[in-house]
Amino acid sequence: MKGGICLEEYQKLEARHLYTIFRNEENGYTVAKFVTYDAKEEEFTATGIFKELVEEERYSLQGEYKEHARYGMQFQVISYEKMMPNDENSLIRYFSSAAFPGIGKKTAKQIVDHLGEDALLKIKDDIHVLDDIEGMNEKKRNAIYQGIREHGDLDDSIVFFSKFGMSVKNIMKLEAAYGKEAVEVVKENPYQMVEDIDGIGFATADKVAMELSFSIDHPYRIKAAILSSVLDICMSNGDTYVSASQISRELKKRYGMEQIDLEPYLQELFADRLLMMEDERIYHNTQYDAEKGIAVFLGNFPYEEMEQVDITHLQNDITILENKLHISYEEKQKQAISSFFKEPFSIITGGPGTGKTTIVQGILSLYQQYYPDQIISLCAPTGRAAKRLAQLSDGRAVTIHSLLKWDLESNTFLVNETEPIQADVLIIDEFSMVDQWLFYNLLLACRDIKKILLIGDEDQLASVGPGCVLKDLIKSNCFPLTRLEKIFRQQEGSDVVALAHMIKENETPDFDQMQDIAFFPCQNFEVRNLVNQVVSNALSKGYDTKDIQVLVPMYQGVAGIDALNNALQQMMNPPDEFKRELKVGYRIFREEDKILQLKNQPDDQVSNGDIGILREIIYASEDVQNKNKLMVEFDDHIVEYSGENLYNISHAYCISIHKSQGSEYPIVILPIVKDYRYMLQKRLLYTAVTRAKKSLVLLGDMELFQHAIQVADRHVRKSTLTQRILSVFG
């Protein structure tokens, strides 16, 4: 008890203080940004009374997540204490890690308190030393025994690295890379991890280095900070290269490094080929290799010619196909089909309703007619886009990551230049979402491919990763391009399609004249109730949860994704005595929740952006492995989540516009309020609007909507891919 409050009722978070947002010096009330001190490293806002907070220090916070009417989800701190690193803390972290399913912090602390700092040795000698610990049972004892048996060789590394908050998964990566010398290698240069280990960034390496008493101006630290800055800048703005002045600004802003003479450090990084330089442009080696590799590959493609189709016969067969499918291809659509059969590499671009789907259906039908023994490989960047492609083709389509057999642990592709794709033709849909590095790796695996077709909408949001590949390919004028502009979808969703094209042309729509689109004026604090009303109305008309999608550009705030998911869950799937719940962080998962996949999990055949339904919750007390488990149904299969994978999912009642790319929904609800004003621009609105297949409901500020239509890209991505293609093609 503290001041009449039972602290055991509250959640406990171990976190690192990033910076203070607000502080009242008179009463100590503070609003601060923290990041959880674990493998997830999730940022969150905490509020409470603090004597003082030191940046980068670790704290143990007790409190609970509360939703603020204006600022969204916050962690309200009831009590806190500064964490001091010691071997006991690392042992507790080790015993409560994923290596020991079902062993929480409380049990781990009891083990260490009872057995001391040589607990591991004692348990290895005699497992029954655990018998005297309060709450110990056969299930927990077996979990500890199995964990030590499986990870016994890692004990020294785990005890050493876990004090820095590293997960067992990352520690195993270190062991795989450095062997038994892992601890010594990291002690010699903690920043080496940034270069060698996927999933370990500068923040983690810096945390280790500071604990090992490395100076803040150590050359290893400065080189790692430069390398990290280049990657961070490119990931944040989509550029494929940076300037030296940008690096200097980033070093000052992010790491407090001022007046650094970059030149000697850059020269070392160039010599090690970690960075590359051309005409004052500084590239990370991955982006440099990608740009050059794409240009060279396309300049030499195809590596094996295929027998050409007689164009006269093709035109006749297109006419026969039109009669068979009861359609009539417009001239540009016929041009796209002809271009595909004439050229080894071609591009089709166009907005919604312009007939891209009909063209693909025709191409697939004719190709199978001409080349019955050849293999067509269909892929898309997201799982939802791949499923849509499969439906229209009556064939199998997969994500690009699945096609390339992406290995999650090593972040490498098992299908590559030495183990290429086993197909004759490659068709890639939703290509605007493909970043430069992914396209490069896809092309590396295309040595046996004889024909490639890219399909995408050049006006949608660019890829999350660096580059603007579709735009760069089109801009080069080196490849056959069909740009579809005529709208064919004149029935369901025609108003939505018309609005999308009006946005492209900077035209102001008249919503009073539209049947499929509604606009309801409201303020940010009214969004939640209005969204609930619209969703409730749609459900009453017979629509299903999966038919309705709320799209928002940001997570925080009263009209952000987190707040709306919370409100929609309460309305669409409220607490029920017959439905189980599980709290993960500030989220409460409940059976029958609509679930969003946040990361690719290739082994489970589920991709970033996939949406499913939480069918069952299994509590640790009922599970053989003593783990809490969530069973989520995605279309035709069930995926099991436990341990760290629980952080790979979120609620999907409301999702980001970026996550919606590649998907379509019968009804889209899109708030447009001043909270989002710095993110709103034409391309974002266009992408959101084109997700609606039938109906679109807009909520918010009409003037803001009209203004956003006029806002072009706030940042034009910098890339030299077009120049490289032109130099290769002469």
Side-chain angles (χ1 to χ4, degrees):
M1 298 285 287
K2 182 173 181 178
I5 298 172
C6 180
L7 293 180
E8 291 184 0
E9 296 175 1
Y10 289 92
Q11 188 172 354
K12 191 171 183 178
L13 295 180
E14 291 183 1
R16 179 165 50 89
H17 175 230
L18 295 177
Y19 56 88
T20 297
I21 300 168
F22 167 82
R23 179 172 174 80
N24 184 326
E25 294 296 344
E26 291 183 6
N27 59 18
Y29 177 76
T30 305
V31 180
K33 188 69 81 173
F34 285 83
V35 60
T36 57
Y37 188 56
D38 54 22
K40 275 72 72 177
E41 293 197 340
E42 289 190 323
E43 288 191 15
F44 65 96
T45 301
T47 63
I49 306 298
F50 294 89
K51 288 182 180 179
E52 64 173 346
L53 286 172
V54 180
E55 287 190 9
E56 297 303 314
E57 286 288 358
R58 288 171 285 168
Y59 295 87
S60 176
L61 310 175
Q62 272 193 292
E64 60 183 333
Y65 281 103
K66 288 283 186 71
E67 191 177 333
H68 189 280
R70 183 175 178 185
Y71 300 110
M73 203 66 71
Q74 298 180 333
F75 190 74
Q76 293 187 357
V77 177
I78 303 300
S79 71
Y80 76 99
E81 62 182 357
K82 193 173 177 181
M83 289 174 59
M84 300 302 293
N86 58 41
D87 289 339
E88 286 190 7
N89 281 343
S90 9
L91 275 171
I92 291 169
R93 186 178 297 279
Y94 175 37
F95 282 121
S96 58
S97 72
F100 302 96
I103 306 301
K105 289 273 176 68
K106 185 177 179 181
T107 304
K109 188 174 186 310
Q110 288 174 332
I111 293 171
V112 177
D113 287 346
H114 186 73
L115 299 177
E117 293 185 7
D118 56 350
L120 278 170
L121 290 173
K122 290 178 180 176
I123 296 169
K124 280 181 178 179
D125 287 342
D126 181 8
I127 190 68
H128 291 287
V129 296
L130 295 168
D131 292 349
D132 296 333
I133 293 168
E134 185 181 348
M136 185 59 59
N137 54 36
E138 186 177 356
K139 201 173 189 179
K140 288 182 179 180
R141 190 168 57 240
N142 287 339
I144 293 168
Y145 176 72
Q146 284 296 118
I148 289 177
R149 197 172 76 167
E150 291 176 19
H151 304 291
D153 293 339
L154 297 176
D155 283 347
D156 291 340
S157 292
I158 287 175
V159 172
F160 175 77
F161 289 116
S162 66
K163 73 171 72 173
F164 308 116
M166 285 195 200
S167 66
V168 172
K169 185 187 292 185
N170 276 341
I171 296 170
M172 291 177 74
K173 287 182 183 179
L174 285 168
E175 285 278 339
Y178 303 140
K180 294 181 179 180
E181 305 300 316
V183 173
E184 293 308 313
V185 170
V186 172
K187 281 182 176 179
E188 175 70 25
N189 179 8
Y191 300 101
Q192 189 69 35
M193 295 187 291
V194 180
E195 298 171 26
D196 297 341
I197 313 298
D198 185 69
I200 296 182
F202 181 86
T204 301
D206 204 37
K207 187 192 305 178
V208 175
M210 293 303 103
E211 294 288 354
L212 294 174
S213 301
F214 275 69
S215 64
I216 60 171
D217 59 352
H218 196 288
Y220 289 161
R221 184 172 192 263
I222 295 172
K223 281 173 62 178
I226 291 171
L227 194 62
S228 180
S229 294
V230 173
L231 283 170
D232 290 344
I233 295 168
C234 290
M235 283 305 297
S236 65
N237 59 25
D239 294 342
T240 63
Y241 62 86
V242 302
S243 65
S245 60
Q246 281 179 292
I247 296 173
S248 293
R249 287 196 297 271
E250 187 75 4
L251 291 175
K252 179 180 178 180
K253 172 183 158 188
R254 187 178 289 265
Y255 308 115
M257 296 182 182
E258 298 189 53
Q259 299 177 335
I260 298 288
D261 181 8
L262 288 180
E263 189 59 29
Y265 300 106
L266 287 175
Q267 290 304 323
E268 286 188 39
L269 290 165
F270 296 151
D272 293 338
R273 211 185 176 279
L274 295 170
L275 295 179
M276 310 294 288
M277 189 170 187
E278 279 186 359
D279 301 327
E280 305 301 315
R281 298 185 301 268
I282 299 171
Y283 302 79
H284 190 269
N285 68 82
T286 55
Q287 293 303 320
Y288 182 83
D289 290 345
E291 280 196 358
K292 292 200 75 171
I294 290 169
V296 170
F297 183 93
L298 294 179
N300 294 315
F301 184 76
Y303 290 82
E304 183 182 340
E305 299 286 347
M306 68 185 304
E307 183 184 343
Q308 293 296 310
V309 172
D310 185 288
I311 297 302
T312 305
H313 290 163
L314 176 62
Q315 298 303 325
N316 291 334
D317 288 336
I318 289 175
T319 303
I320 294 170
L321 184 65
E322 287 177 308
N323 294 329
K324 179 182 175 182
L325 299 177
H326 305 292
I327 58 173
S328 178
Y329 284 117
E330 184 247 353
E331 193 55 41
K332 275 203 172 180
Q333 291 179 303
K334 291 180 181 178
Q335 175 190 321
I337 296 173
S338 296
S339 180
F340 169 79
F341 283 99
K342 282 195 301 183
E343 307 287 349
F345 186 91
S346 56
I347 304 170
I348 299 173
T349 186
T354 54
K356 297 191 295 293
T357 297
T358 313
I359 292 170
V360 174
Q361 288 174 322
I363 284 173
L364 292 173
S365 177
L366 291 169
Y367 195 89
Q368 288 162 357
Q369 175 184 325
Y370 296 143
Y371 307 100
D373 297 328
Q374 292 199 358
I375 300 171
I376 301 176
S377 185
L378 304 171
C379 64
T382 68
R384 301 300 294 178
K387 288 183 177 72
R388 282 174 48 220
L389 186 59
Q391 289 166 358
L392 71 91
S393 65
D394 292 326
R396 182 174 180 267
V398 297
T399 66
I400 297 174
H401 283 82
S402 295
L403 179 66
L404 297 180
K405 295 185 179 177
W406 175 61
D407 181 65
L408 177 65
E409 297 302 320
S410 62
N411 193 25
T412 56
F413 300 101
L414 303 181
V415 173
N416 48 44
E417 60 265 50
T418 56
E419 297 290 335
I421 297 167
Q422 298 300 303
D424 302 282
V425 174
L426 180 66
I427 296 177
I428 313 165
D429 198 10
E430 296 288 352
F431 189 75
S432 64
M433 299 172 65
V434 178
D435 65 64
Q436 192 165 267
W437 176 243
L438 181 59
F439 187 47
Y440 170 56
N441 279 278
L442 182 60
L443 291 180
L444 285 178
C446 286
R447 297 285 174 181
D448 295 340
I449 298 288
K450 305 176 186 70
K451 198 178 282 289
I452 296 174
L453 172 62
L454 311 181
I455 307 163
D457 186 345
E458 61 184 320
D459 295 303
Q460 280 195 34
L461 287 169
S463 58
V464 174
C468 40
V469 184
L470 180 59
K471 277 187 167 294
D472 285 345
L473 293 174
I474 292 172
K475 191 165 63 174
S476 73
N477 287 319
C478 292
F479 311 103
L481 169 71
T482 304
R483 183 176 275 115
L484 305 171
E485 293 166 333
K486 183 176 179 180
I487 303 173
F488 293 92
R489 195 191 296 168
Q490 295 296 337
Q491 297 174 359
E492 284 191 356
S494 60
D495 286 339
V496 174
V497 173
L499 175 60
H501 287 269
M502 291 174 78
I503 291 173
K504 280 176 63 173
E505 300 302 321
N506 294 356
E507 296 177 16
T508 302
D510 181 0
F511 293 113
D512 292 336
Q513 302 301 314
M514 297 181 172
Q515 294 182 340
D516 304 315
I517 302 174
F519 197 114
F520 298 102
C522 70
Q523 299 296 315
N524 62 345
F525 59 86
E526 298 174 304
V527 167
R528 181 199 311 228
N529 290 337
L530 201 46
V531 165
N532 276 1
Q533 289 176 32
V534 173
V535 172
S536 179
N537 185 46
L539 292 173
S540 69
K541 291 181 178 178
Y543 285 99
D544 189 78
T545 303
K546 67 176 181 290
D547 298 327
I548 309 161
Q549 191 58 61
V550 182
L551 301 180
V552 167
M554 60 188 286
Y555 278 85
Q556 297 182 337
V558 69
I561 292 170
D562 289 336
L564 292 180
N565 262 324
N566 192 33
L568 286 165
Q569 183 194 39
Q570 291 299 312
M571 192 270 288
M572 300 174 80
N573 190 30
D576 186 315
E577 61 178 312
F578 298 107
K579 292 180 180 177
R580 292 183 163 199
E581 298 180 352
L582 183 68
K583 190 169 186 178
V584 180
Y586 61 82
R587 296 184 179 95
I588 295 176
F589 290 110
R590 186 173 297 126
E591 289 176 339
E592 300 308 310
D593 268 341
K594 188 176 179 182
I595 297 296
L596 173 69
Q597 179 72 21
L598 300 174
K599 293 182 179 179
N600 289 329
Q601 286 180 218
D603 292 344
D604 295 311
Q605 298 177 341
V606 62
S607 305
N608 186 355
D610 283 356
I611 292 178
I613 301 294
L614 174 52
R615 294 303 186 193
E616 184 182 6
I617 294 175
I618 301 170
Y619 294 132
S621 59
E622 307 163 334
D623 180 60
V624 175
Q625 297 175 305
N626 209 22
K627 292 181 180 180
N628 289 314
K629 292 181 179 177
L630 303 185
M631 314 301 286
V632 180
E633 182 181 358
F634 290 95
D635 293 330
D636 55 355
H637 69 292
I638 298 286
V639 177
E640 177 186 295
Y641 296 86
S642 63
E644 290 182 4
N645 280 351
L646 290 171
Y647 291 87
N648 287 355
I649 56 174
S650 178
H651 295 106
Y653 302 104
C654 176
I655 66 174
S656 72
I657 296 168
H658 280 86
K659 288 288 186 188
S660 72
Q661 279 188 273
S663 300
E664 283 186 332
Y665 315 94
I667 300 174
V668 165
I669 302 168
L670 178 64
I672 305 289
V673 293
K674 290 180 180 177
D675 287 16
Y676 319 145
R677 60 188 177 279
Y678 296 114
M679 301 184 70
L680 292 176
Q681 55 182 299
K682 178 196 290 193
R683 199 181 294 275
L684 188 80
L685 282 185
Y686 176 83
T687 302
V689 164
T690 53
R691 300 309 93 206
K693 193 172 183 181
K694 185 175 182 182
S695 300
L696 174 68
V697 180
L698 298 163
L699 316 171
D701 188 322
M702 176 64 77
E703 287 187 10
L704 189 62
F705 180 85
Q706 292 172 348
H707 171 72
I709 291 175
Q710 309 301 321
V711 179
D713 293 341
R714 297 184 187 277
H715 172 77
V716 178
R717 294 189 171 195
K718 292 186 293 187
S719 160
T720 46
L721 177 59
T722 298
Q723 293 94 305
R724 295 190 194 281
I725 291 171
L726 290 171
S727 67
V728 168
F729 278 76

